[in-house]
Amino acid sequence: MSKKTVGSKGARAGKAIIISLVFLLILFVLIGLLIRFTPLPERWISMYVLGAVCAACFFSGILAGNVMKKRGMLFGALFSVAFLLIVLVLAVLVTGSFSEEGIFQIRYLPCIAFGSIGGMIGVNLRNG
């Protein structure tokens, strides 16, 4: 394997994470607009945000599987964990407060599962 192939995979993987972050930001804006302008209950906002993070992890898994072209379940889960770490770090930088458990919370398991499912789908996508 040449260095050019590995470097291009690394660059494409970085782009996949950035695209997933933009997708998550768009979902957050949509959730905010829906809560503001529709009668959605605010008490479920943590579920809305968790659903948006799961959707972004699924999208990240699809992109990861498409980039790596093998072991989609593993790379989808790894990309989801990396994506969650990046989101948590950004949340701490923006808010200034952090959770002591960090990523080791049971509520993030569906996000990782969605990422691995997305990885399986991404491996099977064609680049045509």
Side-chain angles (χ1 to χ4, degrees):
M1 208 182 238
S2 68
K3 287 185 179 182
K4 203 172 214 182
T5 306
V6 174
S8 69
K9 277 189 179 181
R12 289 177 58 206
K15 287 179 189 177
I17 294 289
I18 291 171
I19 290 170
S20 298
L21 284 171
V22 170
F23 181 68
L24 181 65
L25 182 65
I26 291 169
L27 288 176
F28 282 166
V29 168
L30 287 174
I31 289 170
L33 290 174
L34 285 173
I35 288 175
R36 173 70 175 105
F37 295 112
T38 64
L40 281 176
E42 291 181 18
R43 67 178 182 261
W44 292 344
I45 196 162
S46 62
M47 292 298 161
Y48 304 147
V49 169
L50 186 63
V53 173
C54 284
C57 284
F58 179 73
F59 187 66
S60 174
I62 288 174
L63 294 175
N66 200 4
V67 167
M68 296 302 173
K69 293 292 185 197
K70 59 182 176 181
R71 295 186 190 108
M73 194 170 178
L74 174 68
F75 282 118
L78 288 176
F79 267 63
S80 293
V81 169
F83 179 74
L84 285 172
L85 284 173
I86 291 169
V87 168
L88 289 174
V89 166
L90 289 175
V92 168
L93 290 176
V94 169
T95 63
S97 63
F98 62 95
S99 171
E100 294 193 15
E101 294 90 19
I103 197 168
F104 300 114
Q105 295 180 17
I106 206 84
R107 66 179 170 184
Y108 294 128
L109 285 179
C111 299
I112 296 169
F114 273 103
S116 63
I117 292 168
M120 288 188 289
I121 292 170
V123 165
N124 295 314
L125 288 179
R126 297 184 193 262
N127 280 341

Short mmCIF file of all heavy atoms in Angstrom, two decimals, residues 6-57:
data_model
loop_
_atom_site.label_atom_id
_atom_site.label_comp_id
_atom_site.label_asym_id
_atom_site.label_seq_id
_atom_site.Cartn_x
_atom_site.Cartn_y
_atom_site.Cartn_z
N VAL A 6 -2.89 5.79 1.85
CA VAL A 6 -3.16 5.94 3.27
C VAL A 6 -3.46 7.41 3.60
O VAL A 6 -4.38 7.71 4.34
CB VAL A 6 -1.96 5.43 4.11
CG1 VAL A 6 -2.16 5.73 5.58
CG2 VAL A 6 -1.78 3.95 3.89
N GLY A 7 -2.72 8.32 3.02
CA GLY A 7 -2.95 9.74 3.25
C GLY A 7 -4.30 10.19 2.74
O GLY A 7 -4.99 10.98 3.38
N SER A 8 -4.69 9.68 1.59
CA SER A 8 -5.99 10.08 1.06
C SER A 8 -7.12 9.50 1.90
O SER A 8 -8.15 10.14 2.07
CB SER A 8 -6.13 9.66 -0.40
OG SER A 8 -6.22 8.27 -0.52
N LYS A 9 -6.92 8.30 2.46
CA LYS A 9 -7.94 7.74 3.35
C LYS A 9 -8.03 8.56 4.63
O LYS A 9 -9.13 8.79 5.14
CB LYS A 9 -7.62 6.29 3.70
CG LYS A 9 -8.06 5.31 2.66
CD LYS A 9 -7.92 3.90 3.18
CE LYS A 9 -8.39 2.93 2.12
NZ LYS A 9 -8.30 1.54 2.58
N GLY A 10 -6.89 9.00 5.13
CA GLY A 10 -6.90 9.84 6.34
C GLY A 10 -7.59 11.18 6.09
O GLY A 10 -8.36 11.64 6.93
N ALA A 11 -7.32 11.77 4.95
CA ALA A 11 -7.97 13.04 4.61
C ALA A 11 -9.46 12.85 4.41
O ALA A 11 -10.27 13.67 4.88
CB ALA A 11 -7.33 13.63 3.35
N ARG A 12 -9.84 11.76 3.76
CA ARG A 12 -11.27 11.49 3.56
C ARG A 12 -11.96 11.18 4.88
O ARG A 12 -13.11 11.54 5.09
CB ARG A 12 -11.45 10.35 2.57
CG ARG A 12 -11.08 10.76 1.14
CD ARG A 12 -11.18 9.64 0.15
NE ARG A 12 -12.52 9.07 0.12
CZ ARG A 12 -12.79 7.83 -0.24
NH1 ARG A 12 -11.82 7.03 -0.61
NH2 ARG A 12 -14.03 7.38 -0.25
N ALA A 13 -11.24 10.52 5.79
CA ALA A 13 -11.81 10.23 7.12
C ALA A 13 -12.00 11.53 7.90
O ALA A 13 -13.03 11.70 8.57
CB ALA A 13 -10.90 9.28 7.89
N GLY A 14 -11.05 12.43 7.82
CA GLY A 14 -11.20 13.73 8.47
C GLY A 14 -12.36 14.53 7.90
O GLY A 14 -13.13 15.16 8.64
N LYS A 15 -12.50 14.48 6.59
CA LYS A 15 -13.63 15.16 5.95
C LYS A 15 -14.96 14.55 6.38
O LYS A 15 -15.95 15.25 6.57
CB LYS A 15 -13.51 15.09 4.43
CG LYS A 15 -12.45 15.98 3.85
CD LYS A 15 -12.40 15.83 2.34
CE LYS A 15 -11.22 16.55 1.75
NZ LYS A 15 -11.11 16.34 0.30
N ALA A 16 -14.97 13.22 6.56
CA ALA A 16 -16.19 12.54 7.00
C ALA A 16 -16.60 13.02 8.39
O ALA A 16 -17.79 13.26 8.64
CB ALA A 16 -15.98 11.03 6.99
N ILE A 17 -15.65 13.18 9.29
CA ILE A 17 -15.96 13.66 10.63
C ILE A 17 -16.46 15.10 10.58
O ILE A 17 -17.44 15.46 11.25
CB ILE A 17 -14.72 13.54 11.55
CG1 ILE A 17 -14.35 12.08 11.79
CG2 ILE A 17 -14.93 14.27 12.86
CD1 ILE A 17 -15.31 11.32 12.68
N ILE A 18 -15.83 15.94 9.77
CA ILE A 18 -16.25 17.34 9.65
C ILE A 18 -17.65 17.43 9.05
O ILE A 18 -18.50 18.20 9.52
CB ILE A 18 -15.22 18.14 8.84
CG1 ILE A 18 -13.94 18.27 9.66
CG2 ILE A 18 -15.76 19.52 8.48
CD1 ILE A 18 -12.77 18.86 8.90
N ILE A 19 -17.92 16.63 8.02
CA ILE A 19 -19.25 16.62 7.41
C ILE A 19 -20.29 16.16 8.43
O ILE A 19 -21.40 16.71 8.49
CB ILE A 19 -19.25 15.74 6.15
CG1 ILE A 19 -18.44 16.41 5.04
CG2 ILE A 19 -20.67 15.46 5.67
CD1 ILE A 19 -18.18 15.51 3.85
N SER A 20 -19.95 15.18 9.25
CA SER A 20 -20.88 14.71 10.27
C SER A 20 -21.13 15.78 11.33
O SER A 20 -22.26 15.91 11.83
CB SER A 20 -20.34 13.44 10.94
OG SER A 20 -20.22 12.42 10.00
N LEU A 21 -20.11 16.55 11.68
CA LEU A 21 -20.29 17.65 12.62
C LEU A 21 -21.22 18.72 12.05
O LEU A 21 -22.07 19.26 12.76
CB LEU A 21 -18.95 18.26 13.01
CG LEU A 21 -18.10 17.46 13.99
CD1 LEU A 21 -16.72 18.07 14.12
CD2 LEU A 21 -18.79 17.41 15.34
N VAL A 22 -21.06 19.02 10.77
CA VAL A 22 -21.95 19.99 10.12
C VAL A 22 -23.37 19.45 10.09
O VAL A 22 -24.34 20.19 10.34
CB VAL A 22 -21.43 20.33 8.70
CG1 VAL A 22 -22.43 21.14 7.92
CG2 VAL A 22 -20.10 21.07 8.80
N PHE A 23 -23.52 18.16 9.80
CA PHE A 23 -24.84 17.52 9.79
C PHE A 23 -25.48 17.61 11.18
O PHE A 23 -26.68 17.92 11.30
CB PHE A 23 -24.70 16.07 9.34
CG PHE A 23 -25.98 15.30 9.27
CD1 PHE A 23 -26.95 15.62 8.33
CD2 PHE A 23 -26.23 14.25 10.14
CE1 PHE A 23 -28.14 14.90 8.26
CE2 PHE A 23 -27.41 13.54 10.08
CZ PHE A 23 -28.36 13.87 9.13
N LEU A 24 -24.70 17.38 12.23
CA LEU A 24 -25.21 17.48 13.59
C LEU A 24 -25.62 18.91 13.92
O LEU A 24 -26.66 19.14 14.54
CB LEU A 24 -24.17 16.99 14.60
CG LEU A 24 -24.59 17.00 16.06
CD1 LEU A 24 -25.73 16.03 16.30
CD2 LEU A 24 -23.41 16.67 16.95
N LEU A 25 -24.85 19.87 13.48
CA LEU A 25 -25.19 21.27 13.71
C LEU A 25 -26.51 21.63 13.02
O LEU A 25 -27.36 22.31 13.61
CB LEU A 25 -24.06 22.17 13.21
CG LEU A 25 -24.25 23.67 13.42
CD1 LEU A 25 -24.26 23.99 14.90
CD2 LEU A 25 -23.17 24.44 12.71
N ILE A 26 -26.70 21.15 11.80
CA ILE A 26 -27.95 21.39 11.08
C ILE A 26 -29.13 20.74 11.82
O ILE A 26 -30.20 21.35 11.95
CB ILE A 26 -27.85 20.87 9.63
CG1 ILE A 26 -26.88 21.75 8.83
CG2 ILE A 26 -29.21 20.84 8.95
CD1 ILE A 26 -26.52 21.18 7.48
N LEU A 27 -28.92 19.53 12.32
CA LEU A 27 -29.99 18.87 13.09
C LEU A 27 -30.31 19.64 14.37
O LEU A 27 -31.48 19.77 14.74
CB LEU A 27 -29.60 17.44 13.42
CG LEU A 27 -29.61 16.45 12.27
CD1 LEU A 27 -29.11 15.09 12.74
CD2 LEU A 27 -30.99 16.32 11.68
N PHE A 28 -29.29 20.18 15.04
CA PHE A 28 -29.53 20.98 16.24
C PHE A 28 -30.33 22.24 15.93
O PHE A 28 -31.23 22.62 16.67
CB PHE A 28 -28.22 21.35 16.92
CG PHE A 28 -27.60 20.25 17.73
CD1 PHE A 28 -26.29 20.36 18.14
CD2 PHE A 28 -28.30 19.12 18.09
CE1 PHE A 28 -25.70 19.36 18.90
CE2 PHE A 28 -27.73 18.11 18.83
CZ PHE A 28 -26.43 18.24 19.25
N VAL A 29 -30.01 22.88 14.82
CA VAL A 29 -30.75 24.07 14.42
C VAL A 29 -32.20 23.71 14.11
O VAL A 29 -33.13 24.42 14.52
CB VAL A 29 -30.07 24.76 13.21
CG1 VAL A 29 -30.96 25.82 12.60
CG2 VAL A 29 -28.74 25.37 13.63
N LEU A 30 -32.41 22.59 13.40
CA LEU A 30 -33.78 22.16 13.11
C LEU A 30 -34.56 21.83 14.38
O LEU A 30 -35.74 22.18 14.49
CB LEU A 30 -33.76 20.95 12.18
CG LEU A 30 -33.38 21.21 10.73
CD1 LEU A 30 -33.27 19.91 9.96
CD2 LEU A 30 -34.40 22.13 10.09
N ILE A 31 -33.92 21.18 15.33
CA ILE A 31 -34.58 20.88 16.60
C ILE A 31 -34.94 22.17 17.32
O ILE A 31 -36.05 22.31 17.85
CB ILE A 31 -33.69 19.98 17.48
CG1 ILE A 31 -33.60 18.57 16.90
CG2 ILE A 31 -34.21 19.92 18.91
CD1 ILE A 31 -32.58 17.70 17.57
N GLY A 32 -34.03 23.12 17.34
CA GLY A 32 -34.31 24.39 17.99
C GLY A 32 -35.47 25.13 17.33
O GLY A 32 -36.33 25.68 18.02
N LEU A 33 -35.49 25.12 16.00
CA LEU A 33 -36.60 25.77 15.30
C LEU A 33 -37.92 25.05 15.54
O LEU A 33 -38.97 25.70 15.70
CB LEU A 33 -36.29 25.83 13.80
CG LEU A 33 -35.18 26.79 13.38
CD1 LEU A 33 -34.88 26.65 11.90
CD2 LEU A 33 -35.56 28.23 13.71
N LEU A 34 -37.89 23.73 15.55
CA LEU A 34 -39.12 22.97 15.82
C LEU A 34 -39.64 23.21 17.23
O LEU A 34 -40.85 23.34 17.45
CB LEU A 34 -38.89 21.48 15.59
CG LEU A 34 -38.80 21.03 14.14
CD1 LEU A 34 -38.40 19.56 14.07
CD2 LEU A 34 -40.12 21.25 13.43
N ILE A 35 -38.76 23.29 18.20
CA ILE A 35 -39.19 23.55 19.57
C ILE A 35 -39.72 24.98 19.70
O ILE A 35 -40.70 25.23 20.40
CB ILE A 35 -38.03 23.28 20.56
CG1 ILE A 35 -37.80 21.78 20.66
CG2 ILE A 35 -38.33 23.87 21.93
CD1 ILE A 35 -36.63 21.40 21.50
N ARG A 36 -39.10 25.90 19.00
CA ARG A 36 -39.52 27.30 19.09
C ARG A 36 -40.85 27.56 18.39
O ARG A 36 -41.70 28.29 18.92
CB ARG A 36 -38.43 28.19 18.47
CG ARG A 36 -38.78 29.65 18.34
CD ARG A 36 -38.85 30.32 19.70
NE ARG A 36 -39.09 31.73 19.56
CZ ARG A 36 -40.26 32.31 19.80
NH1 ARG A 36 -41.28 31.60 20.18
NH2 ARG A 36 -40.39 33.62 19.66
N PHE A 37 -41.06 26.98 17.23
CA PHE A 37 -42.22 27.34 16.42
C PHE A 37 -43.31 26.27 16.34
O PHE A 37 -44.27 26.45 15.61
CB PHE A 37 -41.76 27.71 15.00
CG PHE A 37 -40.92 28.95 14.98
CD1 PHE A 37 -39.57 28.88 14.65
CD2 PHE A 37 -41.45 30.19 15.29
CE1 PHE A 37 -38.79 30.01 14.63
CE2 PHE A 37 -40.68 31.32 15.27
CZ PHE A 37 -39.34 31.24 14.94
N THR A 38 -43.14 25.17 17.01
CA THR A 38 -44.19 24.14 17.04
C THR A 38 -44.48 23.78 18.49
O THR A 38 -43.71 24.13 19.39
CB THR A 38 -43.75 22.86 16.28
OG1 THR A 38 -42.63 22.28 16.93
CG2 THR A 38 -43.43 23.15 14.83
N PRO A 39 -45.55 23.07 18.73
CA PRO A 39 -45.88 22.72 20.13
C PRO A 39 -45.15 21.48 20.66
O PRO A 39 -45.70 20.76 21.49
CB PRO A 39 -47.39 22.49 20.08
CG PRO A 39 -47.66 22.05 18.70
CD PRO A 39 -46.67 22.79 17.83
N LEU A 40 -43.94 21.22 20.19
CA LEU A 40 -43.17 20.10 20.73
C LEU A 40 -42.84 20.37 22.20
O LEU A 40 -42.43 21.48 22.54
CB LEU A 40 -41.87 19.91 19.96
CG LEU A 40 -41.94 19.20 18.62
CD1 LEU A 40 -40.57 19.19 17.96
CD2 LEU A 40 -42.44 17.79 18.78
N PRO A 41 -42.99 19.38 23.06
CA PRO A 41 -42.69 19.61 24.48
C PRO A 41 -41.18 19.74 24.71
O PRO A 41 -40.39 18.97 24.19
CB PRO A 41 -43.25 18.37 25.18
CG PRO A 41 -43.40 17.35 24.13
CD PRO A 41 -43.55 18.06 22.82
N GLU A 42 -40.82 20.72 25.51
CA GLU A 42 -39.41 20.96 25.81
C GLU A 42 -38.84 19.95 26.80
O GLU A 42 -37.62 19.80 26.88
CB GLU A 42 -39.24 22.36 26.39
CG GLU A 42 -39.47 23.46 25.39
CD GLU A 42 -39.27 24.83 26.01
OE1 GLU A 42 -38.63 24.92 27.07
OE2 GLU A 42 -39.74 25.79 25.41
N ARG A 43 -39.69 19.26 27.51
CA ARG A 43 -39.18 18.33 28.52
C ARG A 43 -38.46 17.13 27.90
O ARG A 43 -37.74 16.42 28.59
CB ARG A 43 -40.31 17.87 29.43
CG ARG A 43 -41.34 17.02 28.75
CD ARG A 43 -42.42 16.55 29.72
NE ARG A 43 -43.37 15.72 29.04
CZ ARG A 43 -44.55 16.13 28.59
NH1 ARG A 43 -44.91 17.37 28.78
NH2 ARG A 43 -45.36 15.30 27.97
N TRP A 44 -38.66 16.90 26.62
CA TRP A 44 -37.99 15.78 25.94
C TRP A 44 -36.79 16.23 25.12
O TRP A 44 -36.33 15.52 24.24
CB TRP A 44 -38.97 15.06 25.02
CG TRP A 44 -40.05 14.33 25.73
CD1 TRP A 44 -40.10 13.99 27.06
CD2 TRP A 44 -41.25 13.85 25.15
NE1 TRP A 44 -41.25 13.33 27.33
CE2 TRP A 44 -41.99 13.23 26.18
CE3 TRP A 44 -41.78 13.88 23.88
CZ2 TRP A 44 -43.21 12.64 25.97
CZ3 TRP A 44 -43.01 13.29 23.67
CH2 TRP A 44 -43.71 12.69 24.70
N ILE A 45 -36.26 17.39 25.41
CA ILE A 45 -35.17 17.92 24.60
C ILE A 45 -33.94 17.02 24.65
O ILE A 45 -33.21 16.91 23.66
CB ILE A 45 -34.84 19.37 25.00
CG1 ILE A 45 -34.02 20.03 23.90
CG2 ILE A 45 -34.11 19.43 26.31
CD1 ILE A 45 -34.00 21.52 23.97
N SER A 46 -33.71 16.36 25.78
CA SER A 46 -32.55 15.46 25.84
C SER A 46 -32.72 14.28 24.89
O SER A 46 -31.74 13.81 24.29
CB SER A 46 -32.33 14.97 27.27
OG SER A 46 -33.44 14.22 27.70
N MET A 47 -33.95 13.83 24.70
CA MET A 47 -34.20 12.75 23.73
C MET A 47 -34.04 13.23 22.29
O MET A 47 -33.56 12.50 21.43
CB MET A 47 -35.61 12.16 23.92
CG MET A 47 -35.76 11.42 25.20
SD MET A 47 -34.63 10.02 25.22
CE MET A 47 -34.58 9.68 26.94
N TYR A 48 -34.48 14.46 22.03
CA TYR A 48 -34.30 15.03 20.69
C TYR A 48 -32.81 15.14 20.35
O TYR A 48 -32.39 14.79 19.25
CB TYR A 48 -34.93 16.42 20.57
CG TYR A 48 -36.40 16.50 20.91
CD1 TYR A 48 -36.92 17.64 21.49
CD2 TYR A 48 -37.27 15.45 20.65
CE1 TYR A 48 -38.26 17.74 21.80
CE2 TYR A 48 -38.62 15.53 20.96
CZ TYR A 48 -39.10 16.69 21.53
OH TYR A 48 -40.43 16.79 21.83
N VAL A 49 -32.04 15.61 21.31
CA VAL A 49 -30.60 15.77 21.09
C VAL A 49 -29.94 14.41 20.93
O VAL A 49 -29.08 14.23 20.04
CB VAL A 49 -29.96 16.59 22.23
CG1 VAL A 49 -28.45 16.55 22.16
CG2 VAL A 49 -30.46 18.02 22.20
N LEU A 50 -30.32 13.44 21.74
CA LEU A 50 -29.75 12.10 21.60
C LEU A 50 -30.11 11.49 20.25
O LEU A 50 -29.27 10.83 19.62
CB LEU A 50 -30.23 11.20 22.74
CG LEU A 50 -29.60 9.83 22.81
CD1 LEU A 50 -28.10 9.94 23.05
CD2 LEU A 50 -30.25 9.00 23.89
N GLY A 51 -31.34 11.72 19.79
CA GLY A 51 -31.72 11.24 18.45
C GLY A 51 -30.91 11.90 17.36
O GLY A 51 -30.51 11.25 16.38
N ALA A 52 -30.63 13.20 17.51
CA ALA A 52 -29.80 13.90 16.52
C ALA A 52 -28.37 13.36 16.52
O ALA A 52 -27.77 13.18 15.46
CB ALA A 52 -29.81 15.40 16.79
N VAL A 53 -27.84 13.08 17.69
CA VAL A 53 -26.48 12.53 17.78
C VAL A 53 -26.45 11.12 17.19
O VAL A 53 -25.49 10.76 16.50
CB VAL A 53 -25.97 12.56 19.23
CG1 VAL A 53 -24.65 11.84 19.37
CG2 VAL A 53 -25.82 13.99 19.71
N CYS A 54 -27.49 10.33 17.43
CA CYS A 54 -27.57 8.99 16.83
C CYS A 54 -27.63 9.08 15.30
O CYS A 54 -26.96 8.30 14.61
CB CYS A 54 -28.78 8.23 17.35
SG CYS A 54 -28.58 7.58 19.01
N ALA A 55 -28.41 10.02 14.79
CA ALA A 55 -28.49 10.20 13.33
C ALA A 55 -27.14 10.64 12.77
O ALA A 55 -26.71 10.16 11.71
CB ALA A 55 -29.57 11.22 12.98
N ALA A 56 -26.45 11.53 13.47
CA ALA A 56 -25.13 11.97 13.01
C ALA A 56 -24.11 10.83 13.08
O ALA A 56 -23.25 10.71 12.20
CB ALA A 56 -24.66 13.17 13.82
N CYS A 57 -24.20 9.99 14.10
CA CYS A 57 -23.30 8.82 14.19
C CYS A 57 -23.60 7.83 13.07
O CYS A 57 -22.67 7.22 12.51
CB CYS A 57 -23.42 8.15 15.55
SG CYS A 57 -22.59 9.04 16.86
#
